[in-house]
């Protein structure tokens, strides 16, 4: 009667402590404090941690992925491919920058170069002398304003011609591309010399066409800066034009056709459709133009004869050249170079931050 009662009682039938093991037949409960589960038929008991989830019966284990060669080598394979380029960049960039920074902390003039006096350490003395010079701040302001004007004019001309390339036929487009690439490939010294001849007050054709007589473009400060700006834009807009043109051609034509069918003007299509889709390209060409135009040297030096009358057309690069080589103050010229390097690094960091933020927005 006891066995019959236990068999029919659902509570006792499901209680593992009263259920006999089929292996030994003794009726003892196979329980332990380590959380062992009852063994399967013909198997051993498996242990599970408290709170862990047991796999479903018949579930296959996921095969372990084989380690790739790059993972086994610690990810050094890409660096091995980049090693030759890094060595070249280290020799052409890192070492000169190191020497530039080192000289900026020394007393290094013609006396030290010729060996007449020993080189001494000045610390931040060169930088204090530079920041105390009012001419440095005037030149810095002129450089920033001039570079900003060059960048704005270059982007305007380059983007306008890029849009024009998408609307003209093949032959005019080819002619415009060849002319732009010719301007881009012209050396800076050659282009500057040609532009000085074109605007020469005695022999230049521009004054004759415009009826300006013997007006000198390099005598007045703002006229000289405007002349240099024209030459900088002339040799810089092809990069913007070609890059933006490639980006415009990559935009699906259906998007532009839809905006046109909705009644949007060409300016509205550019401002609301094309420009937002070209934002990564516009950011790249803008930063590149800032870096190039901020360190303009050849055009200013050639077209204004070394910085204009009484240095009225100096920019930082020409100012550093005059301090280092014309005045033999090499340490002071190096300090100007370090300041320019820091400014351009700040611009580059802003560029990288904009790219990172844009990538996060896209994700």
């Amino acid at each position: 009667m006891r066995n019959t009662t236990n068999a029919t009682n659902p509570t006792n039938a499901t209680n593992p402590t009263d259920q006999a093991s089929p292996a030994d037949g003794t009726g003892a409960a196979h329980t332990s404090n380590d959380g062992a589960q009852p063994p399967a038929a013909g198997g051993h008991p498996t242990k599970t941690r408290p709170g862990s989830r047991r796999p479903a019966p018949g579930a296959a284990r996921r095969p372990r992925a084989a380690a790739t060669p790059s993972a086994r080598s610690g990810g050094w394979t890409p660096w091995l491919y980049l090693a030759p380029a890094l060595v070249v960049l280290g020799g052409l960039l890192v070492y000169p920058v190191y020497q530039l920074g080192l000289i900026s902390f020394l007393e290094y003039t013609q006396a030290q170069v010729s060996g007449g006096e020993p080189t001494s350490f000045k610390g931040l003395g060169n930088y204090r002398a530079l920041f105390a010079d009012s001419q440095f701040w005037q030149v810095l302001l002129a450089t920033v304003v001039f570079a900003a004007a060059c960048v704005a004019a270059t982007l305007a001309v380059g983007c306008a011609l890029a849009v024009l390339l998408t609307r003209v036929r093949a032959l005019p487009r080819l002619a415009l591309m060849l002319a732009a690439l010719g301007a881009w490939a012209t050396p800076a010294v050659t282009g500057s010399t040609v532009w000085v001849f074109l605007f020469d007050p005695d022999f230049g054709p521009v004054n004759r066409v415009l009826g300006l007589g013997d007006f000198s473009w390099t005598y007045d400060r703002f006229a000289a800066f405007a002349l240099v700006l024209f030459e900088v834009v002339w040799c810089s807009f092809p990069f913007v034009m070609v890059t933006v043109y490639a980006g415009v051609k990559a935009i699906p034509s259906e998007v532009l056709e839809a905006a046109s069918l909705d009644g949007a003007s060409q300016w509205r299509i550019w401002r609301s459709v094309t420009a937002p889709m070209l934002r990564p390209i516009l950011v790249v060409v803008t930063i590149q133009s800032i870096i190039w135009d901020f360190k303009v040297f050849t055009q200013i030096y050639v077209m204004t004869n070394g910085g204009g009358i009484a240095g009225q057309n100096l920019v930082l690069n020409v100012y550093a050249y005059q301090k280092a080589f014309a005045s033999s103050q090499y340490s002071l010229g190096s300090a100007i170079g370090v300041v320019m390097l820091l400014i351009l690094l700040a611009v580059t960091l802003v560029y990288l931050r904009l790219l990172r933020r844009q990538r996060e927005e896209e994700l």
Side-chain angles (χ1 to χ4, degrees), residues 45-114:
T46 58
K47 295 183 180 181
T48 58
R49 290 186 232 171
S52 63
R53 182 178 298 176
R54 296 184 60 194
R61 292 185 178 180
R62 182 178 300 176
R64 183 174 298 176
T68 60
S70 60
R72 289 196 300 265
S73 61
W76 288 101
T77 302
W79 293 104
L80 293 178
Y81 287 107
L82 293 175
L86 293 177
V87 171
V88 174
L89 288 177
L92 297 179
L93 182 63
V94 177
Y95 182 73
V97 170
Y98 163 75
Q99 287 292 335
L100 182 72
L102 178 62
I103 294 176
S104 67
F105 292 105
L106 303 177
E107 177 67 28
Y108 201 71
T109 60
Q110 187 61 38
Q112 283 76 25
V113 173
S114 60

Side-chain angles (χ1 to χ4, degrees), residues 38 125 137 327:
W137 295 105
S327 302

Side-chain angles (χ1 to χ4, degrees), residues 106-312:
L106 303 177
E107 177 67 28
Y108 201 71
T109 60
Q110 187 61 38
Q112 283 76 25
V113 173
S114 60
E117 295 181 7
T119 302
S120 59
F121 182 76
K122 290 188 63 175
L124 298 177
N126 292 318
Y127 294 95
R128 285 194 292 266
L130 182 65
F131 295 150
D133 187 5
S134 60
Q135 187 182 15
F136 166 75
W137 295 105
Q138 295 175 3
V139 173
L140 177 61
L141 178 62
T143 304
V144 172
V145 174
F146 175 73
C150 289
V151 171
T154 302
L155 292 177
V157 175
C159 292
L161 292 179
V163 175
L164 179 63
L165 285 176
T166 62
R167 303 188 179 278
V168 297
R169 296 182 180 273
L171 188 59
R173 181 167 60 248
L174 178 61
L176 181 56
M177 291 284 287
L178 291 178
L181 293 178
W184 195 10
T186 303
V189 175
T190 305
S192 301
T193 304
V194 170
W195 274 78
V196 169
F197 171 76
L198 292 176
F199 288 85
D200 186 83
D202 298 325
F203 307 102
V206 175
N207 282 8
R208 296 180 183 179
V209 173
L210 298 179
L212 297 178
D214 57 351
F215 175 76
S216 177
W217 289 81
T218 58
Y219 182 79
D220 181 72
R221 180 188 185 189
F222 297 102
F225 270 128
L227 180 60
V228 178
L229 183 144
F230 295 154
E231 202 279 335
V232 171
V233 173
W234 174 76
C235 66
S236 301
F237 84 87
F239 169 74
V240 178
M241 183 190 72
V242 173
T243 307
V244 175
Y245 172 72
V248 171
K249 295 298 291 183
I251 297 177
S253 59
E254 294 82 2
V255 177
L256 302 179
E257 292 177 359
S260 179
L261 292 176
D262 289 340
S265 61
Q266 297 299 327
W267 168 247
R268 182 63 182 272
I269 292 175
W270 167 262
R271 184 171 60 89
S272 302
V273 179
T274 308
M277 299 184 71
L278 293 177
R279 185 181 302 172
I281 295 178
L282 294 177
V283 170
V284 170
V285 297
T286 301
I287 298 300
Q288 292 281 2
S289 300
I290 291 174
I291 294 175
W292 290 342
D293 296 339
F294 189 81
K295 58 186 185 67
V296 165
F297 173 82
T298 305
Q299 290 86 346
I300 290 288
Y301 192 83
V302 172
M303 300 179 71
T304 64
N305 197 17
I309 301 173
Q312 64 181 2

